[in-house]
């Protein structure tokens, strides 16, 4: 019995000392149990043989040996059970850790997927912004070119306006000069017309006076002589008018 208790205590101490050597300890206990079983079988065989040949003392001694071997086997079984329970506990802990790591892996996978989607969306936004920037740059270049062309057209138009303004000024100057000449000519023409009218009136008055001063014609005098005198008066009047 003392040997059995020592075996059980040794097994418990070995289990509590370290779980890392579980497999090696289990192997030693299995050998102990196998050896005890072999001893028990041998004792039983010897008992049957002794029953035929020896006395009660020999049978009792063999029975005690068999009982002691059985107790040793039971102690080894108890130790094996302790090791089995320890391994099962380690398995449960390992499974729990595996499940925890698996859960963290799923979370990390979801986070990675979310980050990948965010990166793709950011890339799409960058591409859209780049396309808009390129379009804006193209529009700006076109606007600058149009502005340059418009500036050139504006300069040319200003030059044309300046030339037209200069032409207008020249024509205005000519118009002023021509208007002055026209007014002077008009005044001279008016004076000439007035003088002509005065001369015609004077000529008419002189003609009338001359006609009144001529005596009546004689019957024997030719008409042609009197006609000659009147024609001379008309010639005088015409020459005075011109």
């Amino acid at each position: 019995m003392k040997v059995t208790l020592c075996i059980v205590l040794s097994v418990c101490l070995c289990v509590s000392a370290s779980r890392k050597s579980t497999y090696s300890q289990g192997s030693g206990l299995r050998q102990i149990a196998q050896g005890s079983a072999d001893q028990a079988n041998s004792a039983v065989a010897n008992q049957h043989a002794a029953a035929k040949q020896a006395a009660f003392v020999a049978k009792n001694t063999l029975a005690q040996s068999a009982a002691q071997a059985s107790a040793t086997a039971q102690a080894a079984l108890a130790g094996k059970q302790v090791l089995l329970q320890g391994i099962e506990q380690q398995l449960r802990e390992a499974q729990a850790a595996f499940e925890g790591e698996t859960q963290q892996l799923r979370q990390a996978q979801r986070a990675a997927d979310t980050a990948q989607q965010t990166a793709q969306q950011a890339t799409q936004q960058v591409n859209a912004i780049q396309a808009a920037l390129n379009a804006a740059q193209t529009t700006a270049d076109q606007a600058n070119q149009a502005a340059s062309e418009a500036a050139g057209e504006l300069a040319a138009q200003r030059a044309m306006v300046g030339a037209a303004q200069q032409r207008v000024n020249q024509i205005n100057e000519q118009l002023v000069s021509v208007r002055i000449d026209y007014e002077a000519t008009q005044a001279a023409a008016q004076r000439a017309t007035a003088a002509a009218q005065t001369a015609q009136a004077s000529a008419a008055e002189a003609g009338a006076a001359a006609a009144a001063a001529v005596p009546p014609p004689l019957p024997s005098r030719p008409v042609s002589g009197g006609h000659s005198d009147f024609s001379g008066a008309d010639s005088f009047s015409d020459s005075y008018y011109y």
Side-chain angles (χ1 to χ4, degrees):
M1 294 297 293
K2 291 182 180 180
V3 174
T4 302
L5 292 176
C6 289
I7 292 172
V8 172
L9 290 175
S10 298
V11 170
C12 293
L13 290 174
C14 290
V15 170
S16 61
S18 175
R19 291 184 177 181
K20 295 182 180 179
S21 60
T22 301
Y23 179 77
S24 63
Q25 291 176 358
S27 178
L29 291 175
R30 185 175 63 252
Q31 292 178 0
I32 293 173
Q34 186 66 36
S36 299
D38 293 340
Q39 290 178 4
N41 291 328
S42 178
V44 171
N46 292 329
Q47 186 180 20
H48 288 295
K52 295 179 181 179
Q53 298 177 1
F56 174 75
V57 176
K59 292 181 179 181
N60 190 22
T61 302
L62 294 174
Q64 291 179 356
S65 298
Q68 185 177 2
S70 176
T72 303
Q74 291 295 326
L77 178 62
K80 190 70 174 179
Q81 184 176 3
V82 173
L83 292 175
L84 178 63
Q85 291 176 352
I87 293 174
E88 289 176 348
Q89 180 64 29
Q90 292 179 6
L91 177 61
R92 287 191 295 271
E93 293 176 354
Q95 288 178 346
F98 173 76
E99 291 177 357
E101 295 296 335
T102 303
Q103 184 66 25
Q104 291 181 359
L105 176 62
R106 294 192 188 97
Q107 294 177 356
Q109 185 65 44
R110 287 194 294 269
D113 294 339
T114 302
Q116 183 66 28
Q117 293 177 358
T118 304
Q120 292 177 354
Q121 292 176 357
T123 302
Q124 293 175 357
Q125 292 178 357
V126 169
N127 293 333
I129 293 173
Q130 186 64 39
L133 180 61
N134 293 334
Q137 184 64 41
T138 302
T139 303
D141 294 339
Q142 293 175 354
N144 290 329
Q145 184 177 1
S148 178
E149 293 176 355
E153 292 179 358
L154 178 60
Q157 191 64 34
R158 285 178 177 174
M160 294 176 65
V161 169
Q165 183 65 40
Q166 185 177 3
R167 177 63 177 167
V168 168
N169 293 334
Q170 292 176 355
I171 293 174
N172 283 330
E173 292 177 357
Q174 292 177 0
L175 179 61
V176 170
S177 178
V178 170
R179 182 177 287 114
I180 293 173
D181 292 340
Y182 171 77
E183 291 176 353
T185 303
Q186 184 180 18
Q190 290 176 355
R191 290 193 300 270
T193 301
Q197 291 176 355
T198 302
Q200 288 177 356
S202 297
E205 291 178 357
V214 173
L218 296 175
S220 61
R221 191 176 180 181
V223 179
S224 59
H227 177 71
S228 177
D229 294 338
F230 183 77
S231 297
D234 290 337
S235 297
F236 174 77
S237 175
D238 293 336
S239 63
Y240 178 79
Y241 175 75
Y242 289 106

